[in-house]
Amino acid sequence: MSERVPAAIAVVSSIIIVAYACATTPTTNPSPTQQPVAGQQMPGGPPGGPGGQRVPLTDSARRVRDSVNAARRDSGAAAVMRSIAGRENQPAESVFKNIKILKGFPAGRLVNIMNMGFGRSLGVSCGFCHVPGKWDLDDKEQKNTARLMFAMVQTINRDYISKVPTDSARRSPPPVVNCFTCHRGNSRPMGPEGGPPPGNRPPTSGD
């Protein structure tokens, strides 16, 4: 019974958040013949764009998405932590299958990196990269992309950022880059003005 409590809390929280968003979403809309739905693709988008352009999410819809995904992540992470109880400090590769980039990390820390580092930085839940319940599978392209991105961040920090002079008088910590540096809560990297980088399609609505 106790194992169902976090999942139940996540479900109830999601319902409350969605209800709040529906009550606070503005009702004034432009009046073309076909109304766009936030986060969905419209037909006849820009040339070369299969499926058309994705309509940006409203602020309230984005808050709902982020809150729901956070609840899903926290619930999933809690379930995984319960399943490895007593083995949290063992190397991740001895507890989980198919560990490729975080070998040697404590298993419990790996779960927190997935939740807070990857998931929160991209505004997605576990199912964005993983097949829920079958975490070792490589069936999703996003999982391999995340591995490449992690290797890129490690290289930037080790080979470049670490060589940037710091203010030793102020004892400031050395600068680092991480997932949030570019993603800022979006599943795709963001440009300097908050939009997608030049040449990229608009960010997706996440998981």
Side-chain angles (χ1 to χ4, degrees), residues 2-181:
S2 60
E3 294 183 358
R4 299 180 181 177
V5 172
I9 293 174
V11 171
V12 172
S13 300
S14 299
I15 294 172
I16 293 172
I17 292 167
V18 171
Y20 173 78
C22 292
T24 58
T25 301
T27 56
T28 56
N29 292 311
S31 55
T33 54
Q34 184 179 7
Q35 293 288 338
V37 178
Q40 292 185 355
Q41 290 183 344
M42 293 291 290
Q53 186 174 8
R54 187 174 291 273
V55 178
L57 292 173
T58 63
D59 288 342
S60 60
R62 185 180 296 277
R63 286 194 296 270
V64 170
R65 181 206 65 183
D66 291 346
S67 297
V68 169
N69 282 337
R72 288 175 177 172
R73 284 197 313 271
D74 292 344
S75 177
V80 172
M81 291 298 286
R82 287 194 301 272
S83 73
I84 65 168
R87 297 181 291 163
E88 299 92 334
N89 294 320
Q90 294 180 16
E93 65 271 21
S94 70
V95 177
F96 301 110
K97 298 178 182 177
N98 197 21
I99 300 298
K100 294 183 178 179
I101 62 169
L102 294 172
K103 290 181 179 180
F105 281 71
R109 185 179 174 197
L110 179 142
V111 176
N112 289 328
I113 290 173
M114 292 290 148
N115 184 2
M116 305 303 291
F118 293 175
R120 185 170 66 173
S121 294
L122 274 66
V124 298
S125 61
C126 309
F128 185 75
C129 291
H130 294 276
V131 177
K134 299 179 180 179
W135 311 108
D136 58 309
L137 297 184
D138 287 339
D139 289 15
K140 293 195 172 184
E141 177 186 353
Q142 290 87 343
K143 187 175 182 181
N144 288 317
T145 299
R147 287 176 173 142
L148 290 172
M149 291 286 135
F150 184 82
M152 177 190 72
V153 165
Q154 294 290 86
T155 299
I156 292 172
N157 285 324
R158 182 186 65 243
D159 297 343
Y160 300 98
I161 299 294
S162 64
K163 299 174 183 177
V164 174
T166 58
D167 188 348
S168 57
R170 295 184 180 180
R171 297 181 180 178
S172 57
V176 295
V177 299
N178 53 36
C179 303
F180 193 81
T181 303

